[in-house]
Amino acid sequence: MRTAIILYLFHVGMVSAQETLQLTEGQQSPNATLEDVSWISGHWQGEAFGGIAEEIWGPPLGDSMMFVFKLVKDNKVSFYEIGHIQQVDHTLILQLKHFQGNLKGWEEKDVTVDFKLVKLEKNKVFFEGLTMELVNENEMNVSVLIDGGNSTEEILFAYKRVP
C-alpha cells in the first residue's frame, strides 16, 4: 500500500540521494514543535513527471500546519493531496490523504498515510521515508523513499518558492 502512498511529493529534479531515515525498533520520535518546522510554510512549485507540482503550506495554527498539493499534467489534475504536520505528545507526525483529480479518495475513509518524526536539524526535518530541507529562502528539497514493488528508491525532488 505504501507504494502509491509515498508518492507524496512530486517535485523537480529526480536524483538518487541518501537522505531519508527510519526509526529503529523501539526508537521513539524526538521532542519537537511546529515552530521547529515553520520554515516549510509557503507556496512551492516545480516540474515533475512531465507536469507541474504545486504545494501550499500554512503556518502553524491549532497544533498543525496544513498543506494542499496537486500535480497537473497535460493541463489536467492528475491527483491531489491534503495533509498536515500535527503536534502530538511533544513530537510531530506528517499525515496525508490522496485524491484523484475528481476528488475520489485513494485511501479508505479512516486511513491516513503517516510519517513519524525521526530527527530534526536546523532547516531540515527527517520523517520516516521523507526528508524536507530548506536550501535557502526560495528553495526546498524533499527526499522521498518510493517503494516500486520489487525495489525501493530514494528520489530527490526540488521546489522553488512562488512569489
Side-chain angles (χ1 to χ4, degrees), residues 4-134:
I5 295 171
I6 293 192
L7 295 176
Y8 158 61
L9 299 170
F10 284 105
H11 311 273
V12 168
M14 294 195 304
V15 179
S16 181
Q18 301 278 329
E19 290 292 324
T20 59
L21 300 175
Q22 300 291 326
L23 291 171
T24 59
E25 189 173 328
Q27 181 183 3
Q28 298 293 314
S29 292
N31 288 345
T33 69
L34 291 170
E35 288 304 317
D36 295 327
V37 296
S38 63
W39 50 264
I40 298 169
S41 296
H43 187 173
W44 303 93
Q45 195 172 77
E47 296 177 16
F49 300 103
I52 301 294
E54 179 178 43
E55 192 161 335
I56 302 168
W57 281 87
L61 179 64
D63 289 333
S64 75
M65 289 177 63
M66 69 172 182
F67 77 91
V68 290
F69 168 92
K70 73 177 170 182
L71 178 65
V72 176
K73 188 172 179 181
D74 298 326
N75 219 21
K76 294 186 187 220
V77 174
S78 293
F79 73 95
Y80 295 102
E81 290 176 349
I82 184 170
H84 63 192
I85 295 175
Q86 187 174 26
Q87 192 163 333
V88 179
D89 298 329
H90 306 290
T91 192
L92 304 175
I93 187 167
L94 190 151
Q95 298 176 300
L96 62 90
K97 290 182 84 71
H98 296 89
F99 300 88
Q100 297 173 23
N102 62 7
L103 293 182
K104 291 185 180 177
W106 291 9
E107 291 84 25
E108 294 294 322
K109 178 181 170 187
D110 294 331
V111 174
T112 57
V113 181
D114 297 348
F115 300 87
K116 293 179 181 178
L117 181 65
V118 177
K119 182 179 176 184
L120 189 62
E121 297 176 355
K122 181 176 171 46
N123 295 330
K124 194 169 188 177
V125 60
F126 298 83
F127 292 97
E128 286 192 306
L130 190 149
T131 300
M132 304 172 85
E133 178 181 21
L134 186 66

